């Protein structure tokens, strides 16, 4: 990915809910069915043949039909962005998150600011995976603005759910990061321990030259030195030589 990292999953779901109303997906993964991306592009240009989009798609071959419509829209408007259909139709969260982040960036740069009548463009069809329609307003005639109260309530509800999902994702990422750090720590500690054993064996040999003794002493000084404020864990302190500091 580029330096632009995009919005979080929760922020994107809140944006989709506000833009698409009752037809918005409940999860980022469901964007892999293709119809949401068609809606986003249609909200920018208003010329995507939404009547041909399969909002009740349940099988992968049906998702592919939606992506064909999306690809044609990209070609018509000369949008130079590869669509990794084979990955997106698997409905994996990360692949669709990255593409949705790009679509949001594109929308921010190109949307005209007009209110998008998503329900009208779909002919009243509500995808089975969409959030409960009780939270979404009825279809409105073009040009009639939504009320601030309904829009704020819908956005707030989606944002709360999205933020909770985002926090869970962050916790999972932190746990995975901690596991990686622990593996790296054990890997380098094992190497240092092997070096320590070699140095100890070598230092026990009689008749070493002065230069080699000095080098061994310097290595031991580095191995057993501690940083300011560092406290040795109890299990490692028990293994350290009684007459030497340890790292």
């Amino acid at each position: 990915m580029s330096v632009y990292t995009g919005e979080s999953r929760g922020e994107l779901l809140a944006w989709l809910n506000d833009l698409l109303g009752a037809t918005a997906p409940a999860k980022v993964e469901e964007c892999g069915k293709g119809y949401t991306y068609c809606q986003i592009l249609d909200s920018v240009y208003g010329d995507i043949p939404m009547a041909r989009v399969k909002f009740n798609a349940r099988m992968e071959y049906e998702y592919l039909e939606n992506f064909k419509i999306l690809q044609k829209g990209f070609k018509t408007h000369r949008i130079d962005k590869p669509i990794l259909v084979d990955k997106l139709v698997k409905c994996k969260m990360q692949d669709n998150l990255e593409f949705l982040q790009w679509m949001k960036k594109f929308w921010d740069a190109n949307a005209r600011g007009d209110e998008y009548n998503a329900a009208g463009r779909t002919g009243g069809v509500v995808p089975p995976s969409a959030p409960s329609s009780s939270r979404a307003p009825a279809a409105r005639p073009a040009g009639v603005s939504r009320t601030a109260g309904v829009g704020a309530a819908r956005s707030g509800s989606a944002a709360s759910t999205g933020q909770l999902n985002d926090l869970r994702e962050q916790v999972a990422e932190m746990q995975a990061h901690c596991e990686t750090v622990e593996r790296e720590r054990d890997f380098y500690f094992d190497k240092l321990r092997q070096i320590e054993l070699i140095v100890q064996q070598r230092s026990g040999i009689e008749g070493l030259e002065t230069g080699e003794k000095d080098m061994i002493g310097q290595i031991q000084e580095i191995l057993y030195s501690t940083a300011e404020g560092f406290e040795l864990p109890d299990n490692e302190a028990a293994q350290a030589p009684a007459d030497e500091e340890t790292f």
Side-chain angles (χ1 to χ4, degrees):
M1 292 180 63
S2 63
V3 175
Y4 174 79
T5 57
E7 289 80 359
S8 68
R9 179 170 58 177
E11 292 171 331
L12 289 169
L13 288 174
W15 166 64
L16 288 177
N17 193 66
D18 188 57
L19 176 66
L20 306 179
T23 63
K27 300 178 180 179
V28 169
E29 299 92 305
E30 291 167 357
C31 291
K33 298 179 180 181
Y35 60 78
T36 297
Y37 297 131
C38 290
Q39 287 181 287
I40 296 172
L41 195 63
D42 188 58
S43 73
V44 176
Y45 297 109
D47 60 357
I48 305 301
M50 301 305 295
R52 293 171 48 200
V53 175
K54 299 181 183 297
F55 284 89
N56 293 318
R58 297 179 182 276
M59 304 297 292
E60 191 170 303
Y61 73 88
E62 294 178 304
Y63 306 163
L64 291 172
E65 292 298 318
N66 289 339
F67 276 101
K68 288 180 181 179
I69 296 173
L70 181 68
Q71 288 175 320
K72 187 174 181 179
F74 271 43
K75 183 177 180 180
T76 299
H77 295 286
R78 299 181 180 179
I79 302 172
D80 186 18
K81 168 66 177 178
I83 304 176
L84 304 179
V85 179
D86 291 343
K87 289 186 176 182
L88 296 174
V89 295
K90 301 301 181 183
C91 294
K92 299 292 186 180
M93 195 281 292
Q94 188 60 38
D95 293 327
N96 281 280
L97 176 64
E98 292 178 4
F99 189 68
L100 185 58
Q101 287 173 334
W102 184 90
M103 289 290 288
K104 175 60 164 63
K105 182 181 179 182
F106 178 85
W107 187 89
D108 287 338
N110 296 278
R112 295 166 294 183
D114 300 334
E115 184 174 0
Y116 181 59
N117 186 4
R121 291 289 289 161
T122 64
V125 177
V126 178
S129 61
S132 174
S133 59
S134 62
R135 293 189 292 115
R140 299 177 303 278
V144 178
S145 62
R146 73 190 67 184
T147 61
V150 174
R154 187 173 64 245
S155 298
S157 177
S160 298
T161 302
Q163 288 172 356
L164 179 59
N165 291 334
D166 193 42
L167 287 172
R168 288 172 177 168
E169 182 181 357
Q170 290 180 28
V171 170
E173 290 176 353
M174 291 175 65
Q175 289 176 337
H177 178 69
C178 288
E179 291 175 359
T180 300
V181 171
E182 288 177 355
R183 286 196 298 270
E184 292 180 353
R185 178 203 62 189
D186 293 342
F187 174 78
Y188 289 111
F189 183 85
D190 183 62
K191 286 186 175 295
L192 288 171
R193 178 58 179 163
Q194 293 179 44
I195 293 173
E196 181 185 32
L197 292 175
I198 293 173
V199 169
Q200 289 176 350
Q201 291 173 359
R202 192 64 185 172
S203 63
I205 298 176
E206 297 182 0
L208 291 178
E209 295 182 358
T210 302
E212 186 174 357
K213 286 184 178 180
D214 292 341
M215 182 181 66
I216 290 175
Q218 292 175 8
I219 294 174
Q220 289 178 322
E221 183 177 356
I222 294 172
L223 286 174
Y224 302 135
S225 64
T226 59
E228 183 178 356
F230 175 80
E231 293 184 4
L232 186 68
D234 292 339
N235 60 337
E236 294 182 11
Q239 300 173 3
D243 57 343
E244 295 176 322
E245 290 182 294
T246 188
F247 56 95

